[in-house]
Amino acid sequence: MLQINNNVSGATERLESGIAELSEFRESDRPGWTRDVFSESYRASRQWTADRMRAAGLEVFTDAAGNIVGRLAGRNPNAPVLVTGSHTDTVDGGGRFDGVVGVLGAIEAVQQLRESGQVLTRDLLVVDFLGEESNPYGLSCLGSRAAAGELTPADLDRTDYRGVTLGESFASFGLDPAAAMASHWARSTPLHSYIELHIEQGPTLEQRGLPLGIVTGIAGIERLIATFTGSPDHAGTRPMDDRRDAMVAAAEAVLAIRSEGCGAPNHGVATTTRVESESRSPNVVPSLVRTVSEVRSVDSEWLTGVRGRLAEEILTRAQAHGVDVEFNWSTDNEVVSASTGVQDIAAGAADQLGVPWMPIPSGATHDAVHMATLAPMGMIFVPSKAGKSHCPEEWTDTADIATGVGALVSTLAALDTTDLPPAARN
Ligand code: HGY
Ligand code: MN
Ligand code: MN
């Protein structure tokens, strides 16, 4: 077992300077840290990330889907490779640690492996995946989805609020959409395993006083765009019992979606994140309203039933107001279990380091969902202060990140010498 000193002196400085420097790349006119996919700040940050990988001794290339890949050569170039990484794009008004901890932590892990002087048997790939965050196209994990061969022509035809297709956005970023769609990694590089370091983005680890979480599974996500059509009327003269008010039907749908999430028997959440009315005047009864919602769970049986339950509830309430509803459902990702083999190896590494941990489900989705189709997948979580994430208050102490990096290094070293059964889904 490769022994790494987790109190590597340079780690704290490298991690803190990396987070600070990467945080400089953000949209100046947006709150918090906003570096959304295809934006200029994100484009500029990609060069910084590639340079950071090179400085750690990685051989860097960008694949056709815009994923930045750093390679650390192993002794046996023919052995299936190890992969670790995450993303550096953010949500609108996000924080500095979501995804970034996994990319900079992976680069730091390479630094520590090289400083230890020992060479892995397998090549190690460190990846900054393109566009992990959910976006106006309703499709998260663009780069890892492409790597898994799951980016489809229909995906590229999706349009955003401006009517721009995803394919056009790829092209505006200097990427050939057809080549991105064809960049399935399984065809070129046999993978041994994938392990991702990430902040928990919830309160559990901090509440339990634990420095590490080993992920058991990642929630599936169902997305809904619902369009409510009523009829416009003078807001001052139309009697209350004779209206077809689209906004009222949308409001009742928002509450129905919330109660669906609150009623999940095991694990489930449901959120409406946007309500848009076409009415521009304050004195017209709204006739056209669109809502954007998502429902998540690691309980695939409950999640499968969500569409039917919500469609019935929302339609019944809307019809009571004489309002029509159109449902546009999409599955962002299915529920995915982490590899038990990788979980056991990560747990063994943490135990070996004397670091306490707990098994934990992930309510957040990750590139690991798509990498799980290519190789046995695992994730290591580090605590989020007050469980806050996707906001400027997002914070993880450097000491916790360093502990996560130590566990990542030890897990990679153990994976390097372990044969694993192939991924459940290829
Ligand atoms: O939406 C998510 O769960 C992730 O942060 N993209
Ligand atoms: Mn993330
Ligand atoms: Mn996120």
Side-chain angles (χ1 to χ4, degrees), residues 86-87 89 97-100 132-133 196 198-199 201 364-367 390:
S86 193
H87 63 96
D89 60 311
F97 299 84
D98 174 3
V100 169
E132 184 273 351
E133 290 296 353
E196 180 171 349
H198 203 284
I199 58 173
Q201 300 182 285
T365 192
H366 303 282
D367 293 304
H390 281 187

Side-chain angles (χ1 to χ4, degrees), residues 249-262:
E252 293 203 10
V254 170
L255 296 176
I257 286 165
R258 171 180 154 72
S259 55
E260 178 69 17
C262 294

Side-chain angles (χ1 to χ4, degrees), residues 1 82 195 342 345-347 349-350 380 406-416:
M1 166 76 105
L82 302 171
I195 181 81
V342 178
I345 288 168
I380 298 169
L408 177 65
V409 172
S410 299
T411 302
L412 286 167
L415 286 168
D416 187 43

Side-chain angles (χ1 to χ4, degrees), residues 139-152:
L139 204 64
S140 64
C141 300
L142 297 176
S144 51
R145 192 182 292 266
E150 296 174 330
L151 188 64
T152 68

